[in-house]
Amino acid sequence: MGVGMDSCVLPTRHRGYYLVQTTDFFYPLVDDPYLQGKIACANVLSDLYAMGVSECDNMLMLLGISNEMTQQQRAVVAPQMIKGFNDLCKEAGSSVNGGQSVLNPWFIIGGVASAVCSKDEFIMPDQAVAGDVIVLTKPVGTQIAVNAHQWLEQPKYWSMIEKVITKETVVQAYNASMYSMARLNRSAAKLMHKYESHGATDVTGFGILGHLRNLASNQKQDVSLCIHTLPVFGGMFAAAEAAASAPDGINFKLKEGFSAETSGGLMVCISKEKAQGFCEELQALDGVPAWIIGDVLPGNKTASIKPDVKIIEVENTSLPPYSQ
């Protein structure tokens, strides 16, 4: 099968069974070490979920503990981060059995997720056809939400956005994005089979358009993928625009589709007739909305965002806290 976009998909020596595997790690981006552990676990597992694999057989944990922290700080932070990672792994129906821990200057957490599957348990991300639509399962704007929250204590940066957003909205967006990042895409992976998805990818560090371009380039048919709608955490679009236009500002390139995300949603190519049912059932299962954000068109395996892309302000208080 070669290499999948989000996970490798390799035939094993046992006829009819494949190894679907992925690895990922990154640095902490939220203040709560327990939720950071959950976010790291969710981020790793999303690569399996993007392949339609809803069952992970084993997880390895990769942990770098900062030697620049005091012993007391390490004694508090490391166990909480490990617990968050383990707890979400258990919720995903898997467990951590091994890994590697090291001392180094940076705190790092991540893992390796592995699943042994028959061919009907995964969906290769190359089956999109013209007439399909693209569904997104989480809002974008996590990078802006995390940065804006940090800027509350950094007057130089807060001054760039204070005219377009309140501190209360920043806190709400930060909390909503934090819980969103800690939420599994597992239900979406299961529904990809029920609604006969033609492929998917998750939205992480390359931004929504970066990942859509990867998805487009892997298609078997001559199609292009076009985004017409961007659901964004409340207030974060205005904050991103203000930060970009400020003197010596920061351009997150949110509207252009290149703002980095962490543990974002899945972008799923699915027939137009089945997309609404997918969205409605996902909301019933997870209690959060999904959106039809784009179209699969005849084309040359490229991806784009419409110049007049519609921005949906997702109410931060409408996204329930991730309480498990």
Side-chain angles (χ1 to χ4, degrees):
M1 302 294 294
V3 178
M5 271 197 352
D6 292 293
S7 302
C8 67
V9 182
L10 302 171
T12 70
R13 56 194 172 86
H14 303 288
R15 182 180 292 274
Y17 289 93
Y18 300 81
L19 175 66
V20 183
Q21 193 172 60
T22 184
T23 185
D24 204 354
F25 65 88
F26 53 100
Y27 308 106
L29 71 161
V30 299
D31 296 336
D32 186 323
Y34 177 74
L35 278 172
Q36 179 61 52
K38 283 193 164 188
I39 291 167
C41 182
N43 196 76
V44 176
L45 286 168
S46 277
D47 284 339
L48 292 187
Y49 297 149
M51 304 294 295
V53 176
S54 60
E55 305 297 330
C56 175
D57 289 307
N58 186 53
M59 180 79 86
L60 304 177
M61 186 187 299
L62 306 175
L63 185 66
I65 300 177
S66 174
N67 56 19
E68 296 186 2
M69 299 172 76
T70 67
Q71 183 62 41
Q72 184 179 15
Q73 288 170 335
R74 291 200 295 265
V76 172
V77 172
Q80 284 295 309
M81 205 171 288
I82 292 169
K83 186 176 188 311
F85 194 100
N86 274 313
D87 283 356
L88 198 67
C89 194
K90 290 176 184 175
E91 185 184 324
S94 189
S95 60
V96 177
N97 296 284
Q100 177 74 343
S101 298
V102 295
L103 274 173
N104 70 171
W106 311 280
F107 213 114
I108 299 169
I109 186 163
V112 180
S114 305
V116 177
C117 303
S118 60
K119 198 168 183 178
D120 61 356
E121 291 180 282
F122 60 85
I123 298 171
M124 290 298 287
D126 58 4
Q127 308 294 320
V129 297
D132 283 353
V133 296
I134 305 164
V135 170
L136 179 67
T137 65
K138 294 183 184 180
V140 297
T142 55
Q143 184 186 36
I144 297 98
V146 167
N147 277 267
H149 187 256
Q150 293 171 348
W151 293 351
L152 291 176
E153 314 220 351
Q154 299 174 350
K156 173 185 173 182
Y157 295 106
W158 175 245
S159 64
M160 294 191 300
I161 63 173
E162 62 180 344
K163 292 181 180 179
V164 300
I165 193 169
T166 65
K167 292 183 177 181
E168 180 185 16
T169 299
V170 167
V171 172
Q172 289 174 345
Y174 170 76
N175 286 330
S177 67
M178 182 165 57
Y179 288 118
S180 176
M181 288 187 284
R183 176 167 59 85
L184 294 171
N185 282 310
R186 191 183 186 195
S187 296
K190 293 178 180 178
L191 294 178
M192 283 171 62
H193 290 271
K194 179 175 179 179
Y195 289 91
E196 300 179 316
S197 161
H198 296 147
T201 186
D202 65 338
V203 184
T204 52
F206 296 133
I208 192 166
L209 183 56
H211 286 282
L212 198 67
R213 284 178 172 175
N214 289 341
L215 186 63
S217 67
N218 277 272
Q219 297 310 305
K220 288 183 176 179
Q221 295 198 22
D222 291 329
V223 295
S224 290
L225 312 181
C226 181
I227 294 174
H228 55 62
T229 301
L230 275 181
V232 183
F233 290 104
M236 293 304 99
F237 182 76
E241 293 288 285
S245 61
D248 300 319
I250 298 172
N251 189 355
F252 291 100
K253 296 189 175 180
L254 176 64
K255 189 175 182 180
E256 294 84 354
F258 296 115
S259 181
E261 304 292 331
T262 298
S263 190
L266 300 187
M267 280 191 290
V268 184
C269 294
I270 192 168
S271 70
K272 187 174 184 179
E273 296 74 24
K274 296 179 180 179
Q276 192 59 41
F278 179 99
C279 293
E280 290 174 359
E281 187 162 355
L282 183 61
Q283 180 153 16
L285 289 170
D286 285 359
V288 292
W291 301 266
I292 297 171
I293 65 160
D295 296 302
V296 180
L297 307 168
N300 57 353
K301 302 183 182 180
T302 58
S304 62
I305 295 181
K306 292 184 73 171
D308 59 345
V309 62
K310 177 183 178 182
I311 304 299
I312 296 178
E313 290 271 336
V314 180
E315 224 178 297
N316 298 314
T317 53
S318 70
L319 298 170
Y322 191 77
S323 58
Q324 282 87 343

